[in-house]
Amino acid sequence: MGPPGAGKGTQGELLARHLEVPRFSTGEMLREARAQGSELGRRAQSYMDAGELVPDEVVLGLIAEALDDTPPTGGFILDGFPRTVAQAQGLDAILDEREAPLDGVVWLNVPEEELVRRLTGRDGSENRTDDEPETVRRRIQVYRDETEPVVRWYARKGLRVIEADGMGSIEEIQSGLRRELAR
Ligand code: AMP
């Protein structure tokens, strides 16, 4: 978990490769659905372009489907999900059924000025339409209002929350995460 631009995708991908587990990014799934022009993609587009969250039941459906195809014993990384407490509760219900709870939360932190710099400087190779400065500011606000409470919700439930500084180099951050996770 972490604000937009914290490096969740980059770090999550490296970690998934290292742990040899699948990674499920709802942001990527939604961008794919949009690129394919599916009904779901069309439904998600206006929310994404405005920097708002796509409705909970849409992303919960995507995650339920992805986990259905994943063995309960194998492990996985969720990237950019859950983003609301309702999503976290929905996820809990899915995981209860699998009898495979979460091990922990990785929380990447980066100061706001750096987030804006990173997000408005992306090179377009990710096929994103939500990098306008105004949209970026809205995405950060939505994160503060909706998603940060999820981290506190997990912490209150007693889940392990690993807080990581998202400022260093990609390699430094990744090795710090691996060290923490191995403890
Ligand atoms: P991301 O690539 O994770 O930054 O996600 C890009 C956009 O997809 C977000 O700004 C939201 O509009 C949408 N999105 C991704 N994941 C979620 C989620 N878990 N809940 C709601 N909307 C999401």
Side-chain angles (χ1 to χ4, degrees):
M1 300 186 69
K8 296 186 295 293
T10 305
Q11 296 299 335
E13 217 171 288
L14 291 170
L15 209 53
R17 214 176 301 157
H18 173 67
L19 298 172
E20 298 181 334
V21 296
R23 160 180 162 266
F24 302 119
S25 156
T26 42
E28 279 172 17
M29 291 172 178
L30 291 167
R31 279 189 289 281
E32 268 162 35
R34 208 184 52 196
Q36 285 161 4
S38 70
E39 170 63 33
L40 187 145
R42 273 197 301 277
R43 201 175 152 206
Q45 174 143 18
S46 56
Y47 296 99
M48 296 171 80
D49 288 349
E52 302 293 339
L53 294 181
V54 170
D56 290 332
E57 73 272 13
V58 173
V59 285
L60 270 166
L62 288 172
I63 288 293
E65 210 172 288
L67 289 179
D68 251 358
D69 298 332
T70 308
T73 48
F76 53 83
I77 290 177
L78 299 174
D79 172 349
F81 176 93
R83 266 170 149 101
T84 65
V85 171
Q87 289 177 21
Q89 288 166 333
L91 175 63
D92 265 6
I94 295 170
L95 296 181
D96 274 354
E97 212 161 292
R98 292 161 58 93
E99 297 181 21
L102 294 178
D103 292 318
V105 176
V106 176
W107 188 24
L108 274 177
N109 278 304
V110 171
E112 182 138 348
E113 319 80 73
E114 172 68 9
L115 295 177
V116 175
R117 201 185 63 76
R118 288 185 188 180
L119 290 165
T120 52
R122 275 179 173 160
D123 62 4
S125 64
E126 289 178 62
N127 185 28
R128 300 191 67 125
T129 53
D130 55 0
D131 283 353
E132 293 298 319
E134 205 174 303
T135 314
V136 162
R137 274 191 289 275
R138 179 65 195 148
R139 284 163 56 204
I140 294 171
Q141 189 59 46
V142 168
Y143 166 77
R144 302 256 179 258
D145 293 345
E146 304 278 346
T147 307
E148 257 179 8
V150 183
V151 181
R152 291 195 290 274
W153 187 82
Y154 276 132
R156 266 204 307 277
K157 275 175 57 110
L159 204 64
R160 182 174 178 212
V161 177
I162 296 168
E163 210 175 326
D165 179 0
M167 279 304 274
S169 72
I170 289 173
E171 294 74 20
E172 271 166 10
I173 297 164
Q174 181 64 204
S175 52
L177 285 180
R178 289 182 191 178
R179 258 197 316 275
E180 272 302 315
L181 285 168
R183 295 211 303 179

